[in-house]
Amino acid sequence: MRLRRHVTAAPLLRPLSPRIEHTCGWTRLTREIGGAGDCMTLNQVSEHAGLCQSAGSFVYGETKRRVNRCLISSNRTVILFVPGICINVYSWTSFYFRMYPTSCDTFVALPPSTEGQRIVFGKNSDRPCDEVQEVVYFPAKKHEPEEKLECTYIEIEQVAQTHAVVLSRPAWLWGAEMGANEHQVCIGNEAVWGKESVDGEEALLGMDLVRLALERADSAERAVDVITELLEKYGQGGNCMEDECGFTYHNSFLISDRTEAWVLETAGKYWAAERVEAGYRNISNEYSITAKIDKEHPELRTYAQEQGWWNGKATFNFAKVYSYSNTARIEAAGGRFCEGRKLLQKSEGHITAETMMDILRDKESGINMEGMFMTTGSMVSVVPKDQNFPGVHFFTATPDPDRSVFKPFIFVMDIKQLKHTCSPCFGEEDPVKKKPRFQSKPNRKHPLFLKHEVAAAIIDSTRERGERIVEKMRALEKQKLAEMEKYLTEGIEDATLPVHLFTDTVDEEFSIYSSA
């Protein structure tokens, strides 16, 4: 029995109800069905479980993950076994076999699409369902000459001065999925795949490049230059998930500041960039830059010609030339990309922070992901074009924005580390740092994650209590949005007031969960 790899107008991947989802490894799974752990072959697992093994492996990026398989039972139920992540059971009719996980969406809206003279930025970070995302702050800092910087996997040269940054990041790595800096530069990145092969060798992760650009760039255009210079010097590559199996990809970035936005899309060391000066723009897990290219790698077109991807005569369309011809993946990512544009278009001229939060919460479009890859953290930023007014950056630091609170952060002096959303640190004993890497997985849950986890379980299991919790969460968020509006329109008279803004809001969120 073979799984169809390409399905026309395939629906989003949605679990059956009740949902079966456990964070357990392959060893535990095979022992539960009577096997001998990792020594057991896939065929033996199929026999023990009474299942028929499908023809294809479940593939992440361009790498087959160890013993990952899609299994089909006699009643045509599809079971996905993903070591170290989770197990989900799906109905055959709603199952869509995808060669790549489709995840993450990033948005930006500029005048005249926004209300007032403001830029509104938003991103959902869709990651493995058992991964913890933390929100952390690092102050501006001067560095010594010849100082080195240790990123997730490699060491690079440090610069003389780094800017203050606030980041939302998977707790196991150095970089970030999204964030902002004191100059109101905002960046989010997406996984993309194309004809250019993905390098599995350890280099800079796309998430490292997000943080490096925020720490080193004072404008969106400068961030493009920082990323592309680092890409040329150090390359991109390495495992992007906290396990030993390997999940790699190229990266695209959406970058904004007080005046404009840039889309930067990469394929190995090659890249193209598009300036966005008005309206709205979004990116998903596909190349989206077409013929409008404002900056590019000097060998971008020559390389495409050498590979036989472009004849040198037709109009050069970056997305068309460099995109991978995997129809199933393109349909999945492209569907979400189009849905995101529709949601932006629906509110064109009136896009606000609340609008962006609603977009990030939208489950029907697939933008708020569920399942093995789910939305584990979200960000919305509102940045006035007038430099006299501060930017306000909202982060959830918890999974599923639909049952999370967007909490505000403003750059002012004397901000301390955001202790409620900062995960435990394991230093040199961290399995990410020790080679071979990822031999174990420590508990990285921060205080807010732990309390939110309990509240989410109540929301899922107890209707009345759950509705009360969500109602109070929305009320808190609405209150903070109103308070931030004053800063956005009148500025900050007393810079000491926002110092503990984010942490104080988390404390109020704690109170909601404690009284549930």
Side-chain angles (χ1 to χ4, degrees):
M1 181 176 185
R2 295 181 65 86
L3 279 177
R4 292 176 60 198
R5 295 183 180 232
H6 307 294
V7 182
T8 303
L12 293 170
L13 192 62
R14 294 192 182 278
L16 283 172
S17 182
R19 175 169 161 180
I20 301 175
E21 186 172 287
H22 307 286
T23 53
C24 64
W26 183 259
T27 301
R28 174 180 166 188
L29 172 65
T30 53
R31 283 175 181 162
E32 284 180 353
I33 61 174
D38 287 333
C39 297
M40 193 176 191
T41 68
L42 289 168
N43 286 331
Q44 288 172 325
V45 171
S46 300
E47 291 169 7
H48 276 281
L51 300 170
C52 173
Q53 183 182 319
S54 69
S57 296
F58 195 66
V59 179
Y60 279 71
E62 293 187 349
T63 306
K64 285 187 178 182
R65 291 171 56 82
R66 180 172 59 89
V67 300
N68 282 6
R69 293 288 173 178
C70 299
L71 304 178
I72 310 165
S73 69
S74 56
N75 68 351
R76 297 174 72 78
T77 295
V78 178
I79 303 179
L80 304 185
F81 294 104
V82 185
I85 302 177
C86 60
I87 309 164
N88 281 292
V89 178
Y90 302 89
S91 68
W92 176 259
T93 54
S94 70
F95 179 71
Y96 179 23
F97 186 79
R98 296 180 291 185
M99 295 297 289
Y100 300 90
T102 55
S103 56
C104 290
D105 292 271
T106 310
F107 305 85
V108 69
L110 302 89
S113 292
T114 57
E115 280 193 2
Q117 292 298 301
R118 298 174 181 177
I119 285 79
V120 182
F121 177 95
K123 173 174 164 65
N124 271 352
S125 170
D126 300 337
R127 301 281 302 170
C129 62
D130 66 341
E131 185 176 84
V132 177
Q133 192 139 158
E134 61 177 351
V135 173
V136 290
Y137 168 79
F138 297 99
K141 188 177 180 181
K142 292 183 179 180
H143 301 277
E144 298 296 326
E146 309 299 322
E147 187 175 331
K148 300 296 182 181
L149 172 64
E150 185 178 350
C151 301
T152 302
Y153 296 129
I154 67 169
E155 187 178 83
I156 68 172
E157 295 176 3
Q158 182 59 283
V159 294
Q161 173 79 43
T162 51
H163 306 307
V165 297
V166 59
L167 309 170
S168 184
R169 66 180 187 179
W172 61 273
L173 52 74
W174 180 85
E177 274 276 294
M178 52 200 171
N181 71 16
E182 61 184 303
H183 298 285
Q184 310 310 323
V185 177
C186 302
I187 308 179
N189 85 310
E190 305 285 332
V192 289
W193 296 269
K195 294 173 184 174
E196 178 69 2
S197 62
V198 179
D199 192 348
E201 293 298 314
E202 291 184 351
L204 289 174
L205 294 178
M207 292 172 281
D208 291 339
L209 291 167
V210 169
R211 177 172 174 179
L212 287 164
L214 288 171
E215 289 187 338
R216 300 179 179 197
D218 59 2
S219 71
E221 185 172 6
R222 178 58 190 146
V224 171
D225 295 339
V226 168
I227 292 172
T228 54
E229 288 164 9
L230 289 166
L231 202 58
E232 184 70 27
K233 187 171 185 177
Y234 298 103
Q236 60 179 321
N239 189 2
C240 300
M241 290 202 325
E242 190 183 10
D243 63 34
E244 60 182 326
C245 299
F247 171 43
T248 59
Y249 48 75
H250 303 302
N251 290 270
S252 66
F253 306 86
L254 185 52
I255 310 166
S256 67
D257 59 21
R258 287 188 185 273
T259 60
E260 63 183 7
W262 283 81
V263 176
L264 170 62
E265 297 182 340
T266 71
K269 71 174 185 178
Y270 304 99
W271 55 270
E274 173 191 344
R275 187 196 300 266
V276 182
E277 297 178 276
Y280 54 80
R281 187 69 156 83
N282 64 312
I283 59 174
S284 292
N285 302 112
E286 62 170 7
Y287 292 126
S288 62
I289 295 176
T290 55
K292 184 185 181 301
I293 302 174
D294 296 292
K295 287 189 175 188
E296 64 184 80
H297 188 281
E299 298 172 7
L300 179 73
R301 304 183 191 217
T302 304
Y303 182 72
Q305 272 189 281
E306 292 172 351
Q307 300 302 310
W309 301 339
W310 180 54
N311 62 15
K313 298 178 181 178
T315 300
F316 185 82
N317 180 313
F318 175 74
K320 185 176 180 180
V321 171
Y322 275 82
S323 287
Y324 189 70
S325 57
N326 185 313
T327 305
R329 187 199 67 79
I330 292 171
E331 284 181 0
R336 235 178 42 257
F337 173 78
C338 291
E339 289 299 316
R341 285 189 66 82
K342 288 178 185 177
L343 291 170
L344 287 168
Q345 185 178 27
K346 186 178 177 181
S347 299
E348 186 174 8
H350 306 284
I351 295 174
T352 63
E354 296 96 318
T355 307
M356 195 64 76
M357 291 173 188
D358 287 342
I359 290 173
L360 298 183
R361 285 174 168 141
D362 194 280
K363 292 183 185 290
E364 187 176 350
S365 63
I367 289 167
N368 183 5
M369 290 279 287
E370 298 179 284
M372 292 182 306
F373 265 63
M374 70 175 296
T375 300
T376 57
S378 302
M379 168 187 174
V380 169
S381 294
V382 183
V383 178
K385 300 195 81 170
D386 189 334
Q387 296 195 18
N388 293 313
F389 303 127
V392 181
H393 310 281
F394 297 85
F395 296 90
T396 60
T398 52
D400 188 354
D402 197 39
R403 54 186 185 187
S404 293
V405 176
F406 282 91
K407 296 164 283 290
F409 175 96
I410 294 176
F411 284 97
V412 289
M413 298 296 291
D414 300 321
I415 293 176
K416 308 302 180 186
Q417 187 53 274
L418 312 176
K419 59 182 180 178
H420 295 327
T421 56
C422 187
S423 293
C425 180
F426 299 93
E428 293 304 315
E429 294 304 308
D430 197 309
V432 177
K433 296 183 179 295
K434 298 168 70 174
K435 294 185 177 181
R437 304 191 198 275
F438 307 116
Q439 297 303 295
S440 61
K441 191 181 249 187
N443 185 347
R444 302 186 188 276
K445 297 178 181 179
H446 51 71
L448 176 60
F449 188 98
L450 288 166
K451 290 184 181 293
H452 179 270
E453 193 172 40
V454 175
I458 295 172
I459 293 169
D460 283 342
S461 60
T462 310
R463 182 177 175 180
E464 289 186 7
R465 288 180 67 194
E467 288 176 351
R468 285 198 299 270
I469 292 174
V470 172
E471 185 179 336
K472 290 179 180 178
M473 292 166 73
R474 290 290 185 276
L476 173 60
E477 185 177 280
K478 187 175 181 180
Q479 174 194 333
K480 295 303 170 183
L481 282 164
E483 291 175 5
M484 294 309 102
E485 190 60 30
K486 183 176 181 181
Y487 289 132
L488 289 165
T489 55
E490 300 178 14
I492 301 173
E493 292 183 4
D494 184 354
T496 63
L497 293 178
V499 169
H500 304 292
L501 175 62
F502 185 86
T503 300
D504 288 347
T505 307
V506 176
D507 282 330
E508 292 181 68
E509 189 175 354
F510 281 165
S511 298
I512 293 173
Y513 301 150
S514 298
S515 62

